[in-house]
PDB file of all heavy atoms in Angstrom:
ATOM      1  N   ASN A  18     102.677  90.448  98.053  1.00 88.00           N
ATOM      2  CA  ASN A  18     101.279  90.287  98.248  1.00 88.00           C
ATOM      3  C   ASN A  18     100.501  91.563  97.766  1.00 88.00           C
ATOM      4  O   ASN A  18     101.088  92.728  97.959  1.00 88.00           O
ATOM      5  CB  ASN A  18     100.987  90.103  99.743  1.00 88.00           C
ATOM      6  CG  ASN A  18     101.568  88.749 100.192  1.00 88.00           C
ATOM      7  OD1 ASN A  18     101.229  87.671  99.714  1.00 88.00           O
ATOM      8  ND2 ASN A  18     102.421  88.837 101.213  1.00 88.00           N
ATOM      9  N   ALA A  19      99.419  91.375  97.216  1.00 87.00           N
ATOM     10  CA  ALA A  19      98.577  92.475  96.723  1.00 87.00           C
ATOM     11  C   ALA A  19      97.771  93.083  97.812  1.00 87.00           C
ATOM     12  O   ALA A  19      97.366  92.418  98.773  1.00 87.00           O
ATOM     13  CB  ALA A  19      97.643  92.052  95.617  1.00 87.00           C
ATOM     14  N   LEU A  20      97.631  94.478  97.772  1.00 91.00           N
ATOM     15  CA  LEU A  20      96.644  95.116  98.641  1.00 91.00           C
ATOM     16  C   LEU A  20      95.313  95.029  98.103  1.00 91.00           C
ATOM     17  O   LEU A  20      94.713  95.983  97.528  1.00 91.00           O
ATOM     18  CB  LEU A  20      97.086  96.582  98.858  1.00 91.00           C
ATOM     19  CG  LEU A  20      98.395  96.844  99.581  1.00 91.00           C
ATOM     20  CD1 LEU A  20      98.762  98.303  99.551  1.00 91.00           C
ATOM     21  CD2 LEU A  20      98.190  96.400 101.033  1.00 91.00           C
ATOM     22  N   ASN A  21      94.760  93.828  98.278  1.00 91.00           N
ATOM     23  CA  ASN A  21      93.387  93.428  97.749  1.00 91.00           C
ATOM     24  C   ASN A  21      92.335  93.799  98.820  1.00 91.00           C
ATOM     25  O   ASN A  21      92.670  94.390  99.848  1.00 91.00           O
ATOM     26  CB  ASN A  21      93.271  92.056  97.242  1.00 91.00           C
ATOM     27  CG  ASN A  21      93.674  91.089  98.390  1.00 91.00           C
ATOM     28  OD1 ASN A  21      93.663  91.300  99.526  1.00 91.00           O
ATOM     29  ND2 ASN A  21      94.082  89.887  98.000  1.00 91.00           N
ATOM     30  N   ALA A  22      91.115  93.441  98.518  1.00 92.00           N
ATOM     31  CA  ALA A  22      90.000  93.842  99.500  1.00 92.00           C
ATOM     32  C   ALA A  22      90.242  93.172 100.808  1.00 92.00           C
ATOM     33  O   ALA A  22      89.997  93.846 101.853  1.00 92.00           O
ATOM     34  CB  ALA A  22      88.646  93.317  98.921  1.00 92.00           C
ATOM     35  N   THR A  23      90.724  91.955 100.876  1.00 92.00           N
ATOM     36  CA  THR A  23      90.989  91.295 102.189  1.00 92.00           C
ATOM     37  C   THR A  23      92.097  92.066 102.929  1.00 92.00           C
ATOM     38  O   THR A  23      91.932  92.221 104.222  1.00 92.00           O
ATOM     39  CB  THR A  23      91.495  89.805 101.925  1.00 92.00           C
ATOM     40  OG1 THR A  23      90.393  89.123 101.194  1.00 92.00           O
ATOM     41  CG2 THR A  23      91.739  89.093 103.311  1.00 92.00           C
ATOM     42  N   ALA A  24      93.152  92.437 102.330  1.00 93.00           N
ATOM     43  CA  ALA A  24      94.260  93.085 102.915  1.00 93.00           C
ATOM     44  C   ALA A  24      93.714  94.614 103.365  1.00 93.00           C
ATOM     45  O   ALA A  24      94.086  94.948 104.530  1.00 93.00           O
ATOM     46  CB  ALA A  24      95.423  93.308 101.966  1.00 93.00           C
ATOM     47  N   LEU A  25      92.947  95.227 102.617  1.00 94.00           N
ATOM     48  CA  LEU A  25      92.465  96.505 102.973  1.00 94.00           C
ATOM     49  C   LEU A  25      91.518  96.512 104.089  1.00 94.00           C
ATOM     50  O   LEU A  25      91.480  97.396 104.935  1.00 94.00           O
ATOM     51  CB  LEU A  25      91.743  97.127 101.755  1.00 94.00           C
ATOM     52  CG  LEU A  25      92.750  97.614 100.630  1.00 94.00           C
ATOM     53  CD1 LEU A  25      91.935  98.161  99.463  1.00 94.00           C
ATOM     54  CD2 LEU A  25      93.761  98.553 101.007  1.00 94.00           C
ATOM     55  N   ASP A  26      90.712  95.444 104.150  1.00 92.00           N
ATOM     56  CA  ASP A  26      89.802  95.331 105.356  1.00 92.00           C
ATOM     57  C   ASP A  26      90.599  95.074 106.587  1.00 92.00           C
ATOM     58  O   ASP A  26      90.268  95.453 107.689  1.00 92.00           O
ATOM     59  CB  ASP A  26      88.882  94.195 105.086  1.00 92.00           C
ATOM     60  CG  ASP A  26      87.504  94.518 104.577  1.00 92.00           C
ATOM     61  OD1 ASP A  26      87.213  95.721 104.807  1.00 92.00           O
ATOM     62  OD2 ASP A  26      86.681  93.762 103.972  1.00 92.00           O
ATOM     63  N   ALA A  27      91.778  94.241 106.430  1.00 92.00           N
ATOM     64  CA  ALA A  27      92.597  93.988 107.659  1.00 92.00           C
ATOM     65  C   ALA A  27      93.215  95.291 108.078  1.00 92.00           C
ATOM     66  O   ALA A  27      93.417  95.576 109.278  1.00 92.00           O
ATOM     67  CB  ALA A  27      93.607  92.996 107.281  1.00 92.00           C
ATOM     68  N   ILE A  28      93.637  96.133 107.173  1.00 93.00           N
ATOM     69  CA  ILE A  28      94.274  97.429 107.416  1.00 93.00           C
ATOM     70  C   ILE A  28      93.241  98.369 108.043  1.00 93.00           C
ATOM     71  O   ILE A  28      93.500  99.021 109.084  1.00 93.00           O
ATOM     72  CB  ILE A  28      94.875  98.089 106.252  1.00 93.00           C
ATOM     73  CG1 ILE A  28      96.095  97.296 105.742  1.00 93.00           C
ATOM     74  CG2 ILE A  28      95.304  99.471 106.384  1.00 93.00           C
ATOM     75  CD1 ILE A  28      96.632  97.587 104.246  1.00 93.00           C
ATOM     76  N   GLY A  29      92.041  98.445 107.378  1.00 93.00           N
ATOM     77  CA  GLY A  29      90.994  99.214 107.928  1.00 93.00           C
ATOM     78  C   GLY A  29      91.205 100.658 108.104  1.00 93.00           C
ATOM     79  O   GLY A  29      92.339 101.188 107.710  1.00 93.00           O
ATOM     80  N   THR A  30      90.248 101.391 108.507  1.00 92.00           N
ATOM     81  CA  THR A  30      90.414 102.851 108.775  1.00 92.00           C
ATOM     82  C   THR A  30      91.485 103.200 109.862  1.00 92.00           C
ATOM     83  O   THR A  30      92.183 104.193 109.738  1.00 92.00           O
ATOM     84  CB  THR A  30      88.997 103.388 109.337  1.00 92.00           C
ATOM     85  OG1 THR A  30      88.153 103.286 108.201  1.00 92.00           O
ATOM     86  CG2 THR A  30      89.118 104.894 109.643  1.00 92.00           C
ATOM     87  N   ARG A  31      91.625 102.192 110.806  1.00 92.00           N
ATOM     88  CA  ARG A  31      92.606 102.511 111.877  1.00 92.00           C
ATOM     89  C   ARG A  31      94.095 102.610 111.335  1.00 92.00           C
ATOM     90  O   ARG A  31      94.771 103.470 111.821  1.00 92.00           O
ATOM     91  CB  ARG A  31      92.562 101.275 112.897  1.00 92.00           C
ATOM     92  CG  ARG A  31      93.512 101.485 114.115  1.00 92.00           C
ATOM     93  CD  ARG A  31      93.298 100.306 115.019  1.00 92.00           C
ATOM     94  NE  ARG A  31      94.202 100.481 116.116  1.00 92.00           N
ATOM     95  CZ  ARG A  31      94.301  99.581 117.154  1.00 92.00           C
ATOM     96  NH1 ARG A  31      93.512  98.579 117.115  1.00 92.00           N
ATOM     97  NH2 ARG A  31      95.007  99.841 118.234  1.00 92.00           N
ATOM     98  N   TYR A  32      94.401 101.793 110.250  1.00 95.00           N
ATOM     99  CA  TYR A  32      95.833 101.849 109.797  1.00 95.00           C
ATOM    100  C   TYR A  32      95.912 102.419 108.383  1.00 95.00           C
ATOM    101  O   TYR A  32      97.099 102.533 107.843  1.00 95.00           O
ATOM    102  CB  TYR A  32      96.410 100.474 109.853  1.00 95.00           C
ATOM    103  CG  TYR A  32      96.518 100.030 111.322  1.00 95.00           C
ATOM    104  CD1 TYR A  32      95.811  98.824 111.647  1.00 95.00           C
ATOM    105  CD2 TYR A  32      97.239 100.582 112.270  1.00 95.00           C
ATOM    106  CE1 TYR A  32      95.910  98.326 112.988  1.00 95.00           C
ATOM    107  CE2 TYR A  32      97.314 100.163 113.529  1.00 95.00           C
ATOM    108  CZ  TYR A  32      96.684  99.034 113.901  1.00 95.00           C
ATOM    109  OH  TYR A  32      96.675  98.449 115.235  1.00 95.00           O
ATOM    110  N   VAL A  33      94.921 102.744 107.718  1.00 95.00           N
ATOM    111  CA  VAL A  33      94.994 103.245 106.365  1.00 95.00           C
ATOM    112  C   VAL A  33      95.857 104.424 106.113  1.00 95.00           C
ATOM    113  O   VAL A  33      96.553 104.536 105.110  1.00 95.00           O
ATOM    114  CB  VAL A  33      93.586 103.476 105.671  1.00 95.00           C
ATOM    115  CG1 VAL A  33      93.008 104.738 106.377  1.00 95.00           C
ATOM    116  CG2 VAL A  33      93.690 103.725 104.227  1.00 95.00           C
ATOM    117  N   CYS A  34      95.963 105.291 107.099  1.00 96.00           N
ATOM    118  CA  CYS A  34      96.835 106.498 107.055  1.00 96.00           C
ATOM    119  C   CYS A  34      98.383 106.056 107.078  1.00 96.00           C
ATOM    120  O   CYS A  34      99.160 106.948 106.808  1.00 96.00           O
ATOM    121  CB  CYS A  34      96.515 107.490 108.208  1.00 96.00           C
ATOM    122  SG  CYS A  34      94.832 108.109 108.086  1.00 96.00           S
ATOM    123  N   LEU A  35      98.543 104.908 107.404  1.00 95.00           N
ATOM    124  CA  LEU A  35     100.083 104.431 107.487  1.00 95.00           C
ATOM    125  C   LEU A  35     100.559 104.072 106.051  1.00 95.00           C
ATOM    126  O   LEU A  35     101.786 103.974 105.859  1.00 95.00           O
ATOM    127  CB  LEU A  35     100.205 103.218 108.323  1.00 95.00           C
ATOM    128  CG  LEU A  35      99.915 103.505 109.869  1.00 95.00           C
ATOM    129  CD1 LEU A  35     100.034 102.151 110.573  1.00 95.00           C
ATOM    130  CD2 LEU A  35     100.812 104.567 110.531  1.00 95.00           C
ATOM    131  N   LEU A  36      99.682 103.896 105.125  1.00 95.00           N
ATOM    132  CA  LEU A  36     100.117 103.546 103.734  1.00 95.00           C
ATOM    133  C   LEU A  36     100.856 104.745 103.144  1.00 95.00           C
ATOM    134  O   LEU A  36     100.395 105.830 103.164  1.00 95.00           O
ATOM    135  CB  LEU A  36      98.943 103.192 102.929  1.00 95.00           C
ATOM    136  CG  LEU A  36      98.166 101.885 103.390  1.00 95.00           C
ATOM    137  CD1 LEU A  36      96.927 101.672 102.432  1.00 95.00           C
ATOM    138  CD2 LEU A  36      98.981 100.657 103.286  1.00 95.00           C
ATOM    139  N   ASN A  37     102.021 104.405 102.488  1.00 93.00           N
ATOM    140  CA  ASN A  37     102.692 105.455 101.869  1.00 93.00           C
ATOM    141  C   ASN A  37     102.343 105.523 100.403  1.00 93.00           C
ATOM    142  O   ASN A  37     101.443 104.711  99.962  1.00 93.00           O
ATOM    143  CB  ASN A  37     104.306 105.218 101.889  1.00 93.00           C
ATOM    144  CG  ASN A  37     104.657 103.917 101.231  1.00 93.00           C
ATOM    145  OD1 ASN A  37     104.152 103.475 100.144  1.00 93.00           O
ATOM    146  ND2 ASN A  37     105.651 103.229 101.843  1.00 93.00           N
ATOM    147  N   ALA A  38     102.793 106.656  99.679  1.00 94.00           N
ATOM    148  CA  ALA A  38     102.243 106.788  98.348  1.00 94.00           C
ATOM    149  C   ALA A  38     102.459 105.624  97.421  1.00 94.00           C
ATOM    150  O   ALA A  38     101.545 105.275  96.612  1.00 94.00           O
ATOM    151  CB  ALA A  38     103.039 108.017  97.787  1.00 94.00           C
ATOM    152  N   THR A  39     103.585 104.981  97.557  1.00 91.00           N
ATOM    153  CA  THR A  39     103.801 103.722  96.757  1.00 91.00           C
ATOM    154  C   THR A  39     102.787 102.682  96.981  1.00 91.00           C
ATOM    155  O   THR A  39     102.266 102.020  95.976  1.00 91.00           O
ATOM    156  CB  THR A  39     105.276 103.247  96.901  1.00 91.00           C
ATOM    157  OG1 THR A  39     106.286 104.250  96.650  1.00 91.00           O
ATOM    158  CG2 THR A  39     105.568 101.950  96.081  1.00 91.00           C
ATOM    159  N   GLU A  40     102.568 102.443  98.148  1.00 92.00           N
ATOM    160  CA  GLU A  40     101.545 101.392  98.528  1.00 92.00           C
ATOM    161  C   GLU A  40     100.186 101.751  98.110  1.00 92.00           C
ATOM    162  O   GLU A  40      99.391 100.919  97.647  1.00 92.00           O
ATOM    163  CB  GLU A  40     101.610 101.212 100.104  1.00 92.00           C
ATOM    164  CG  GLU A  40     102.940 100.508 100.513  1.00 92.00           C
ATOM    165  CD  GLU A  40     103.218 100.679 101.990  1.00 92.00           C
ATOM    166  OE1 GLU A  40     102.526 101.465 102.667  1.00 92.00           O
ATOM    167  OE2 GLU A  40     104.097  99.961 102.575  1.00 92.00           O
ATOM    168  N   LEU A  41      99.801 103.127  98.252  1.00 94.00           N
ATOM    169  CA  LEU A  41      98.473 103.570  97.817  1.00 94.00           C
ATOM    170  C   LEU A  41      98.286 103.346  96.341  1.00 94.00           C
ATOM    171  O   LEU A  41      97.242 102.979  95.868  1.00 94.00           O
ATOM    172  CB  LEU A  41      98.328 104.973  98.230  1.00 94.00           C
ATOM    173  CG  LEU A  41      98.198 105.231  99.780  1.00 94.00           C
ATOM    174  CD1 LEU A  41      98.304 106.816  99.940  1.00 94.00           C
ATOM    175  CD2 LEU A  41      96.837 104.843 100.189  1.00 94.00           C
ATOM    176  N   ARG A  42      99.372 103.676  95.595  1.00 91.00           N
ATOM    177  CA  ARG A  42      99.244 103.490  94.092  1.00 91.00           C
ATOM    178  C   ARG A  42      99.198 102.083  93.671  1.00 91.00           C
ATOM    179  O   ARG A  42      98.703 101.718  92.584  1.00 91.00           O
ATOM    180  CB  ARG A  42     100.459 104.173  93.415  1.00 91.00           C
ATOM    181  CG  ARG A  42     100.523 105.726  93.594  1.00 91.00           C
ATOM    182  CD  ARG A  42     101.582 106.336  92.715  1.00 91.00           C
ATOM    183  NE  ARG A  42     101.558 107.853  92.932  1.00 91.00           N
ATOM    184  CZ  ARG A  42     102.425 108.418  93.758  1.00 91.00           C
ATOM    185  NH1 ARG A  42     103.328 107.803  94.439  1.00 91.00           N
ATOM    186  NH2 ARG A  42     102.369 109.773  93.870  1.00 91.00           N
ATOM    187  N   ALA A  43      99.578 101.156  94.555  1.00 89.00           N
ATOM    188  CA  ALA A  43      99.527  99.789  94.307  1.00 89.00           C
ATOM    189  C   ALA A  43      98.189  99.098  94.538  1.00 89.00           C
ATOM    190  O   ALA A  43      97.989  97.952  94.107  1.00 89.00           O
ATOM    191  CB  ALA A  43     100.620  98.970  95.041  1.00 89.00           C
ATOM    192  N   ILE A  44      97.241  99.838  95.123  1.00 92.00           N
ATOM    193  CA  ILE A  44      95.936  99.297  95.344  1.00 92.00           C
ATOM    194  C   ILE A  44      95.155  99.142  94.070  1.00 92.00           C
ATOM    195  O   ILE A  44      95.172 100.085  93.301  1.00 92.00           O
ATOM    196  CB  ILE A  44      95.157 100.334  96.256  1.00 92.00           C
ATOM    197  CG1 ILE A  44      95.839 100.239  97.667  1.00 92.00           C
ATOM    198  CG2 ILE A  44      93.696  99.784  96.404  1.00 92.00           C
ATOM    199  CD1 ILE A  44      95.246 101.379  98.571  1.00 92.00           C
ATOM    200  N   ASP A  45      94.464  98.085  93.838  1.00 90.00           N
ATOM    201  CA  ASP A  45      93.677  97.769  92.638  1.00 90.00           C
ATOM    202  C   ASP A  45      92.375  98.467  92.959  1.00 90.00           C
ATOM    203  O   ASP A  45      91.690  98.064  93.908  1.00 90.00           O
ATOM    204  CB  ASP A  45      93.505  96.265  92.446  1.00 90.00           C
ATOM    205  CG  ASP A  45      92.851  95.951  91.108  1.00 90.00           C
ATOM    206  OD1 ASP A  45      92.891  96.769  90.266  1.00 90.00           O
ATOM    207  OD2 ASP A  45      92.178  94.917  91.084  1.00 90.00           O
ATOM    208  N   PRO A  46      91.911  99.496  92.208  1.00 92.00           N
ATOM    209  CA  PRO A  46      90.695 100.208  92.509  1.00 92.00           C
ATOM    210  C   PRO A  46      89.525  99.302  92.814  1.00 92.00           C
ATOM    211  O   PRO A  46      88.832  99.605  93.779  1.00 92.00           O
ATOM    212  CB  PRO A  46      90.545 100.980  91.143  1.00 92.00           C
ATOM    213  CG  PRO A  46      91.818 101.219  90.675  1.00 92.00           C
ATOM    214  CD  PRO A  46      92.642 100.034  91.017  1.00 92.00           C
ATOM    215  N   PRO A  47      89.253  98.190  92.059  1.00 92.00           N
ATOM    216  CA  PRO A  47      88.033  97.426  92.346  1.00 92.00           C
ATOM    217  C   PRO A  47      87.995  96.929  93.787  1.00 92.00           C
ATOM    218  O   PRO A  47      87.005  96.540  94.357  1.00 92.00           O
ATOM    219  CB  PRO A  47      88.119  96.240  91.363  1.00 92.00           C
ATOM    220  CG  PRO A  47      88.889  96.792  90.307  1.00 92.00           C
ATOM    221  CD  PRO A  47      89.890  97.813  90.806  1.00 92.00           C
ATOM    222  N   SER A  48      89.271  96.765  94.406  1.00 93.00           N
ATOM    223  CA  SER A  48      89.288  96.294  95.782  1.00 93.00           C
ATOM    224  C   SER A  48      88.571  97.258  96.752  1.00 93.00           C
ATOM    225  O   SER A  48      88.001  96.771  97.827  1.00 93.00           O
ATOM    226  CB  SER A  48      90.825  96.271  96.178  1.00 93.00           C
ATOM    227  OG  SER A  48      91.416  95.338  95.470  1.00 93.00           O
ATOM    228  N   LEU A  49      88.461  98.557  96.382  1.00 93.00           N
ATOM    229  CA  LEU A  49      87.752  99.495  97.328  1.00 93.00           C
ATOM    230  C   LEU A  49      86.220  99.130  97.320  1.00 93.00           C
ATOM    231  O   LEU A  49      85.574  99.678  98.256  1.00 93.00           O
ATOM    232  CB  LEU A  49      87.982 100.887  96.856  1.00 93.00           C
ATOM    233  CG  LEU A  49      89.438 101.364  97.027  1.00 93.00           C
ATOM    234  CD1 LEU A  49      89.639 102.847  96.489  1.00 93.00           C
ATOM    235  CD2 LEU A  49      89.944 101.320  98.476  1.00 93.00           C
ATOM    236  N   LYS A  50      85.739  98.421  96.335  1.00 91.00           N
ATOM    237  CA  LYS A  50      84.299  98.125  96.357  1.00 91.00           C
ATOM    238  C   LYS A  50      83.978  97.237  97.564  1.00 91.00           C
ATOM    239  O   LYS A  50      82.859  97.210  98.017  1.00 91.00           O
ATOM    240  CB  LYS A  50      83.961  97.477  95.047  1.00 91.00           C
ATOM    241  CG  LYS A  50      83.944  98.354  93.865  1.00 91.00           C
ATOM    242  CD  LYS A  50      83.424  97.632  92.625  1.00 91.00           C
ATOM    243  CE  LYS A  50      83.257  98.532  91.353  1.00 91.00           C
ATOM    244  NZ  LYS A  50      82.781  97.840  90.274  1.00 91.00           N
ATOM    245  N   LEU A  51      84.879  96.451  97.957  1.00 89.00           N
ATOM    246  CA  LEU A  51      84.640  95.429  99.067  1.00 89.00           C
ATOM    247  C   LEU A  51      85.247  95.870 100.363  1.00 89.00           C
ATOM    248  O   LEU A  51      85.088  95.074 101.404  1.00 89.00           O
ATOM    249  CB  LEU A  51      85.211  94.140  98.664  1.00 89.00           C
ATOM    250  CG  LEU A  51      84.574  93.455  97.341  1.00 89.00           C
ATOM    251  CD1 LEU A  51      85.355  92.204  96.924  1.00 89.00           C
ATOM    252  CD2 LEU A  51      83.157  93.277  97.436  1.00 89.00           C
ATOM    253  N   ALA A  52      86.071  96.923 100.385  1.00 89.00           N
ATOM    254  CA  ALA A  52      86.742  97.316 101.645  1.00 89.00           C
ATOM    255  C   ALA A  52      85.928  98.424 102.273  1.00 89.00           C
ATOM    256  O   ALA A  52      85.180  99.208 101.580  1.00 89.00           O
ATOM    257  CB  ALA A  52      88.133  97.661 101.369  1.00 89.00           C
ATOM    258  N   SER A  53      86.121  98.618 103.607  1.00 86.00           N
ATOM    259  CA  SER A  53      85.518  99.696 104.299  1.00 86.00           C
ATOM    260  C   SER A  53      86.587 100.515 104.927  1.00 86.00           C
ATOM    261  O   SER A  53      87.238 100.257 105.892  1.00 86.00           O
ATOM    262  CB  SER A  53      84.545  99.128 105.431  1.00 86.00           C
ATOM    263  OG  SER A  53      83.960 100.135 106.165  1.00 86.00           O
ATOM    264  N   LEU A  54      86.853 101.758 104.179  1.00 92.00           N
ATOM    265  CA  LEU A  54      87.854 102.660 104.673  1.00 92.00           C
ATOM    266  C   LEU A  54      87.335 103.983 104.832  1.00 92.00           C
ATOM    267  O   LEU A  54      86.332 104.419 104.190  1.00 92.00           O
ATOM    268  CB  LEU A  54      88.975 102.706 103.556  1.00 92.00           C
ATOM    269  CG  LEU A  54      89.678 101.364 103.258  1.00 92.00           C
ATOM    270  CD1 LEU A  54      90.685 101.587 102.145  1.00 92.00           C
ATOM    271  CD2 LEU A  54      90.425 100.815 104.444  1.00 92.00           C
ATOM    272  N   ASN A  55      87.965 104.803 105.665  1.00 93.00           N
ATOM    273  CA  ASN A  55      87.621 106.238 105.833  1.00 93.00           C
ATOM    274  C   ASN A  55      88.963 106.993 106.101  1.00 93.00           C
ATOM    275  O   ASN A  55      89.431 107.005 107.217  1.00 93.00           O
ATOM    276  CB  ASN A  55      86.603 106.359 106.975  1.00 93.00           C
ATOM    277  CG  ASN A  55      86.239 107.801 107.170  1.00 93.00           C
ATOM    278  OD1 ASN A  55      86.759 108.793 106.545  1.00 93.00           O
ATOM    279  ND2 ASN A  55      85.184 108.051 107.972  1.00 93.00           N
ATOM    280  N   PRO A  56      89.356 107.621 105.076  1.00 95.00           N
ATOM    281  CA  PRO A  56      90.682 108.328 105.093  1.00 95.00           C
ATOM    282  C   PRO A  56      90.564 109.783 105.731  1.00 95.00           C
ATOM    283  O   PRO A  56      91.555 110.551 105.504  1.00 95.00           O
ATOM    284  CB  PRO A  56      91.272 108.219 103.821  1.00 95.00           C
ATOM    285  CG  PRO A  56      89.990 108.338 102.899  1.00 95.00           C
ATOM    286  CD  PRO A  56      88.908 107.573 103.700  1.00 95.00           C
ATOM    287  N   SER A  57      89.509 110.085 106.317  1.00 93.00           N
ATOM    288  CA  SER A  57      89.266 111.538 106.659  1.00 93.00           C
ATOM    289  C   SER A  57      90.354 112.071 107.718  1.00 93.00           C
ATOM    290  O   SER A  57      90.591 113.266 107.748  1.00 93.00           O
ATOM    291  CB  SER A  57      87.913 111.651 107.339  1.00 93.00           C
ATOM    292  OG  SER A  57      87.813 110.972 108.516  1.00 93.00           O
ATOM    293  N   ALA A  58      90.957 111.179 108.415  1.00 94.00           N
ATOM    294  CA  ALA A  58      92.086 111.652 109.378  1.00 94.00           C
ATOM    295  C   ALA A  58      93.396 111.591 108.756  1.00 94.00           C
ATOM    296  O   ALA A  58      94.445 111.849 109.344  1.00 94.00           O
ATOM    297  CB  ALA A  58      92.012 110.815 110.696  1.00 94.00           C
ATOM    298  N   CYS A  59      93.566 111.208 107.473  1.00 96.00           N
ATOM    299  CA  CYS A  59      94.906 111.045 106.772  1.00 96.00           C
ATOM    300  C   CYS A  59      95.412 112.312 106.240  1.00 96.00           C
ATOM    301  O   CYS A  59      94.719 113.358 106.252  1.00 96.00           O
ATOM    302  CB  CYS A  59      94.731 109.985 105.715  1.00 96.00           C
ATOM    303  SG  CYS A  59      94.235 108.345 106.221  1.00 96.00           S
ATOM    304  N   SER A  60      96.621 112.294 105.697  1.00 96.00           N
ATOM    305  CA  SER A  60      97.261 113.430 105.084  1.00 96.00           C
ATOM    306  C   SER A  60      96.467 113.740 103.815  1.00 96.00           C
ATOM    307  O   SER A  60      95.816 112.925 103.272  1.00 96.00           O
ATOM    308  CB  SER A  60      98.658 113.177 104.736  1.00 96.00           C
ATOM    309  OG  SER A  60      98.745 112.193 103.740  1.00 96.00           O
ATOM    310  N   GLN A  61      96.590 114.978 103.333  1.00 97.00           N
ATOM    311  CA  GLN A  61      95.908 115.318 102.016  1.00 97.00           C
ATOM    312  C   GLN A  61      96.411 114.511 100.911  1.00 97.00           C
ATOM    313  O   GLN A  61      95.637 114.147  99.980  1.00 97.00           O
ATOM    314  CB  GLN A  61      96.189 116.827 101.757  1.00 97.00           C
ATOM    315  CG  GLN A  61      95.293 117.398 100.667  1.00 97.00           C
ATOM    316  CD  GLN A  61      93.830 117.192 100.951  1.00 97.00           C
ATOM    317  OE1 GLN A  61      93.355 117.642 102.061  1.00 97.00           O
ATOM    318  NE2 GLN A  61      93.020 116.593 100.152  1.00 97.00           N
ATOM    319  N   GLU A  62      97.737 114.158 100.837  1.00 97.00           N
ATOM    320  CA  GLU A  62      98.198 113.323  99.731  1.00 97.00           C
ATOM    321  C   GLU A  62      97.536 111.940  99.757  1.00 97.00           C
ATOM    322  O   GLU A  62      97.090 111.454  98.756  1.00 97.00           O
ATOM    323  CB  GLU A  62      99.634 113.143  99.966  1.00 97.00           C
ATOM    324  CG  GLU A  62     100.298 112.233  98.836  1.00 97.00           C
ATOM    325  CD  GLU A  62     101.717 111.929  98.939  1.00 97.00           C
ATOM    326  OE1 GLU A  62     102.247 111.892 100.122  1.00 97.00           O
ATOM    327  OE2 GLU A  62     102.441 111.624  97.909  1.00 97.00           O
ATOM    328  N   THR A  63      97.275 111.349 101.008  1.00 97.00           N
ATOM    329  CA  THR A  63      96.608 110.052 101.058  1.00 97.00           C
ATOM    330  C   THR A  63      95.238 110.245 100.568  1.00 97.00           C
ATOM    331  O   THR A  63      94.616 109.381  99.869  1.00 97.00           O
ATOM    332  CB  THR A  63      96.660 109.513 102.469  1.00 97.00           C
ATOM    333  OG1 THR A  63      97.978 109.285 102.802  1.00 97.00           O
ATOM    334  CG2 THR A  63      95.859 108.339 102.666  1.00 97.00           C
ATOM    335  N   LYS A  64      94.519 111.276 100.960  1.00 97.00           N
ATOM    336  CA  LYS A  64      93.062 111.491 100.588  1.00 97.00           C
ATOM    337  C   LYS A  64      92.927 111.637  99.092  1.00 97.00           C
ATOM    338  O   LYS A  64      92.012 111.115  98.485  1.00 97.00           O
ATOM    339  CB  LYS A  64      92.527 112.757 101.219  1.00 97.00           C
ATOM    340  CG  LYS A  64      92.387 112.668 102.755  1.00 97.00           C
ATOM    341  CD  LYS A  64      91.940 114.098 103.289  1.00 97.00           C
ATOM    342  CE  LYS A  64      91.848 113.945 104.828  1.00 97.00           C
ATOM    343  NZ  LYS A  64      91.389 115.313 105.352  1.00 97.00           N
TER     344      LYS A  64
END
């Protein structure tokens, strides 16, 4: 399954910091246009 806008919304700010580097790289950039995320509490690599 793709980490599209629907999946990213389900993950949300609460769980976005759980994504590892491989999963983050798999995100399709346009998906962020429709997702609401705030990675301010995440690791520097995630940011």
Side-chain angles (χ1 to χ4, degrees):
N18 297 303
L20 288 175
N21 53 26
T23 301
L25 292 178
D26 262 341
I28 292 169
T30 295
R31 183 177 181 182
Y32 298 120
V33 66
C34 299
L35 297 177
L36 296 175
N37 59 39
T39 301
E40 292 162 349
L41 290 167
R42 293 189 181 97
I44 294 174
D45 187 27
S48 299
L49 292 179
K50 289 184 175 182
L51 302 175
S53 179
L54 300 176
N55 184 345
S57 60
C59 300
S60 68
Q61 191 58 57
E62 181 185 24
T63 295
K64 293 177 184 177

